[in-house]
Amino acid sequence: MHPMIHTGYNPALVALSIGLSVFASYTALDLAGRIRGAAPGPRWSWVAGSALAMGGGIWAMHFVGMLAFDMGVRATYHLGLTLLSLVIAVAATGMAFAWVADKDAQPAAVLVAGPLMGLGIAGMHYTGMAALQIPGDLAYNPSIVAVSVAIAVTAATAALRLAFRPHGVGQRLLAAGVMGLAVAGMHYTGMAAATVTAVAAGAPAAHAAMLPQGQQNLALYVAGATFFILFLAMLGSSLDQQRVQRDLQASEARFRAAIQAVRGVLWTNDAAGRMIGEQPGWSALTGQTRAQYQGYGWADAVHPEDAQATVHAWNETVRTRTTFNHEHRVRMADGSWRHYAIRAIPVLDARGAIREWVGVHTDITEQREAEAELRESNEEIQRYAYIVSHDLRAPLVNVMGFTSELEATRVELRAALSGHPQAERIDADFGEALGFIKAAVNRMESLIAAILKLSREGRRQFMPESLDMTALLQGLADAHRHQAEAARAVVTVAPDLPRIVADRLAIEQIFGNLLDNALKYLDPSRPGQIAMTARAVGSRGICFSVTDNGRGIAARDHARVFELFRRSGAQDRPGEGIGLAHVKALVRSFGGRIEVRSQLGAGTTFDVTLPRGASTAVREDSEPAPLAAA
């Protein structure tokens, strides 16, 4: 029967092995934390660095721990198996980090990679134990071996979960300590599972001939080399952190420059919507001190007429955690008032809770003043057009009256010239002249009527209401059914069109004009097909399309068709050329746009994009509109 050898540990080397484990864990966690934010190329560099740090550090901890193990017999290590244990540690760790990085650190990925790393660490440990060469036998307790493997898997899974979670230095130190102690615990649990027996009597006596100091020096060499490698890894991490900091500073400077370029002021509020801390942009804008703008003190710089609506809209935005869009007037440091557009978004932390609000005030005073001037100018033009067209009617009525007088005179003149050799020619010339006069008068009458119509429409106040666009457009199609049947055309309206809030009469005028034009300019050589459809445009717009297979419009006329009194193509249909101009004016008054897509001989599509929601077709007054959050 072989005697059992009583074993022990060198306390100094045990402490050194645990220190190696903790330091390696911290380095690996720090490197692994950079994998998620890296580009595809650098990402794999960080994966390799993390694998070398974790795998190499754990292997060095294992080797130093083995040197700390006092077995009472001379021990050597098989070089091939020792290097294989290092390869297993680095490869398993690298595959685990790569898997988690490729799956964006999803919990399911950690549950796969954690056991992979744990089994790799356990494989490294027991391969390293197999490299041990002693004059005796080495046996294991299966239960304790299972416990050591479980510790390795649990520790590796926890390490990967912590490595890919956003955390600070304190949390990373705690995680490294837990991971390092867990890895050391796995190692020494695995060592506790081993039992060493001598193969011959007197073998333990060989311990006296051993050179413990040599083993200690070897352990120090391994530890020193490992610490140096880990130090280089930490140095690389530190240099990368400095690069990230420089990029962050450059990005922040670029962002601030962009804000200044658009005449904006950047500010931040806490999660509850209160202004705290230093706000140099706001202070420079309003002249308020920190004590004055703290909390909700910033509202004192908002125009009294806008303050209540602003605070209400802001509180509602904070409550609903949505994007803040608003406009109000702000008192400048010199006491003047400026008009600002505000946009603020919530910044969330890792748990999804609001950490702070970041907002920008953009000066739109000149824009609002220009819009007011444009509205005033348009109203003046409309008034002028009304007056001019009204005044033109008076002399036109006189011309029409005298034309009737000339018709009567023509009869008398014909009787007076009876028998004259030139009577027939004079009567024909007289009749032709009267015809030209009447045609010109009728043309003038239609143009004046068109101008008056546009003028009246420009002054009409819109009455917005919720509109079922499917029913409205189908009603227009039904009203044009006789015209469509005469042209051998089919008009289809897409079902379930989105509802909008708009002025019913204006919308009927827009799409009635477009449908009338589509029917009027169909190609007689083929049955007409007209479709009315809609699609969403962004989060706030709806594009309604009227598509036909008619004559089409030449590319050079695409922009001209919207001009007043301008018509394109063959002039074989009645009209004054005001329909599309009227449509464009109505669409623009809603804050929308109209575009044409057409090809000669193929057909035409008019796209009318209108805003969705309560602002649709609400006419702006010349006075500032009430301010409200969007």
Side-chain angles (χ1 to χ4, degrees):
M1 181 176 179
H2 301 308
M4 182 179 296
I5 298 177
H6 296 285
T7 59
Y9 289 94
N10 184 319
L13 294 183
V14 169
L16 180 62
S17 69
I18 295 175
L20 271 173
S21 179
V22 172
F23 188 31
S25 298
Y26 180 85
T27 305
L29 291 175
D30 183 71
L31 294 175
R34 303 178 185 279
I35 295 175
R36 294 184 67 181
R43 171 180 292 187
W44 296 111
S45 300
W46 292 118
V47 168
S50 302
L52 287 173
M54 182 69 85
I58 292 174
W59 176 86
M61 174 269 154
H62 164 81
F63 195 77
V64 173
M66 289 295 297
L67 293 177
F69 186 44
D70 186 359
M71 296 173 287
V73 296
R74 183 179 298 276
T76 57
Y77 296 92
H78 186 278
L79 179 61
L81 290 177
T82 301
L83 294 177
L84 178 61
S85 67
L86 173 61
V87 171
I88 291 174
V90 174
T93 305
M95 287 189 291
F97 279 130
W99 178 266
V100 177
D102 185 61
K103 303 299 181 181
D104 290 330
Q106 299 175 1
V110 173
L111 294 178
V112 173
L116 173 63
M117 180 184 286
L119 293 174
I121 293 173
M124 177 275 299
H125 174 81
Y126 289 105
T127 302
M129 291 292 290
L132 181 65
Q133 296 176 331
I134 56 174
D137 295 326
L138 191 63
Y140 294 96
N141 183 322
S143 299
I144 301 178
V145 169
V147 171
S148 70
V149 174
I151 292 174
V153 170
T154 303
T157 303
L160 288 176
R161 185 72 186 98
L162 291 170
F164 288 92
R165 286 177 56 190
H167 46 59
V169 176
Q171 289 176 293
R172 192 179 296 121
L173 285 171
L174 177 62
V178 171
M179 178 64 187
L181 292 175
V183 171
M186 175 271 158
H187 172 82
Y188 290 109
T189 301
M191 295 298 294
T195 301
V196 181
T197 56
V199 296
H207 180 57
M210 294 176 63
L211 298 175
Q213 186 62 39
Q215 280 195 352
Q216 291 184 12
N217 290 339
L218 180 59
L220 291 176
Y221 294 152
V222 172
T226 304
F227 275 123
F228 179 71
I229 294 173
L230 294 177
F231 169 76
L232 292 179
M234 290 297 295
L235 180 61
S237 177
S238 176
L239 294 176
D240 181 70
Q241 181 65 33
Q242 293 179 13
R243 179 192 60 79
V244 171
Q245 188 67 26
R246 288 194 302 271
D247 291 345
L248 182 62
Q249 291 173 351
S251 178
E252 182 178 356
R254 190 180 304 113
F255 176 71
R256 291 186 179 277
I259 294 298
Q260 294 175 358
V262 296
R263 305 186 66 181
V265 173
L266 180 69
W267 49 265
T268 58
N269 282 11
D270 66 8
R274 296 166 301 204
M275 189 173 283
I276 61 174
E278 293 292 340
Q279 304 289 340
W282 182 260
S283 182
L285 181 73
T286 63
Q288 286 185 311
T289 64
R290 178 171 178 175
Q292 290 173 325
Y293 63 65
Q294 285 281 10
Y296 289 103
W298 53 266
D300 295 336
V302 178
H303 196 283
E305 296 177 3
D306 307 335
Q308 183 177 356
T310 298
V311 173
H312 174 76
W314 176 241
N315 289 337
E316 182 64 18
T317 299
V318 172
R319 185 185 66 81
T320 56
R321 296 159 52 100
T322 55
T323 300
F324 182 67
N325 292 286
H326 197 66
E327 289 184 19
H328 61 207
R329 288 161 289 181
V330 177
R331 184 182 61 245
M332 301 290 96
D334 60 5
S336 62
W337 295 96
R338 305 283 292 179
H339 207 120
Y340 280 85
I342 311 102
R343 181 175 175 84
I345 60 173
V347 179
L348 308 181
D349 60 19
R351 298 168 297 177
I354 294 180
R355 187 179 69 216
E356 63 180 349
W357 292 82
V358 177
V360 175
H361 267 61
T362 304
D363 192 337
I364 58 171
T365 305
E366 283 76 13
Q367 177 184 339
R368 287 292 175 260
E369 290 176 349
E371 290 174 354
E373 291 177 1
L374 180 60
R375 285 194 297 270
E376 183 178 352
S377 176
N378 286 338
E379 291 172 358
E380 184 177 351
I381 291 173
Q382 289 168 3
R383 289 193 298 269
Y384 179 74
Y386 178 79
I387 293 171
V388 169
S389 58
H390 183 271
D391 290 347
L392 282 176
R393 279 205 158 196
L396 190 63
V397 169
N398 290 332
V399 172
M400 294 176 66
F402 282 112
T403 303
S404 300
E405 291 289 335
L406 288 175
E407 287 280 3
T409 303
R410 180 185 178 188
V411 176
E412 297 176 359
L413 184 62
R414 185 184 300 126
L417 294 176
S418 178
H420 192 281
Q422 300 294 326
E424 186 175 347
R425 181 187 61 78
I426 293 172
D427 184 66
D429 290 345
F430 198 93
E432 183 180 12
L434 284 176
F436 285 142
I437 293 173
K438 286 196 290 187
V441 167
N442 290 334
R443 177 62 177 164
M444 179 70 76
E445 171 65 19
S446 65
L447 292 178
I448 291 175
I451 294 174
L452 283 173
K453 181 180 178 181
L454 289 177
S455 176
R456 284 193 295 267
E457 289 295 338
R459 297 194 307 275
R460 186 172 66 83
Q461 294 296 317
F462 292 139
M463 301 294 293
E465 60 179 288
S466 180
L467 299 177
D468 182 343
M469 290 301 292
T470 300
L472 187 147
L473 296 184
Q474 188 60 56
L476 291 176
D478 293 340
H480 287 77
R481 180 172 299 171
H482 178 73
Q483 184 181 353
E485 290 175 352
R488 298 185 302 121
V490 176
V491 180
T492 59
V493 178
D496 301 324
L497 295 177
R499 300 180 69 93
I500 63 172
V501 177
D503 182 86
R504 177 180 294 274
L505 178 58
I507 294 298
E508 288 177 345
Q509 288 176 328
I510 289 173
F511 291 101
N513 267 292
L514 294 178
L515 181 56
D516 185 68
N517 272 3
L519 290 168
K520 187 185 296 183
Y521 297 108
L522 287 172
D523 189 336
S525 65
R526 58 176 179 265
Q529 298 288 336
I530 301 172
M532 306 177 80
T533 59
R535 69 179 189 277
V537 178
S539 61
R540 294 190 172 189
I542 302 173
C543 178
F544 294 93
S545 298
V546 179
T547 302
D548 65 61
N549 64 339
R551 302 178 182 179
I553 302 171
R556 66 177 181 275
D557 291 329
H558 284 185
R560 299 177 183 176
V561 295
F562 297 109
E563 295 178 8
L564 191 61
F565 307 128
R566 180 65 68 91
R567 304 176 67 192
S568 65
Q571 305 301 309
D572 56 352
R573 295 291 186 272
E576 294 82 23
I578 68 168
L580 289 178
H582 185 208
V583 166
K584 184 174 183 179
L586 286 174
V587 171
R588 290 182 63 182
S589 68
F590 296 161
R593 67 178 185 274
I594 182 170
E595 298 170 316
V596 61
R597 293 177 286 127
S598 185
Q599 183 178 352
L600 277 176
T604 302
T605 296
F606 283 95
D607 295 318
V608 178
T609 302
L610 298 173
R612 183 200 305 262
S615 64
T616 304
V618 176
R619 180 173 168 81
E620 295 184 2
D621 297 322
S622 57
E623 297 299 324
L627 299 170

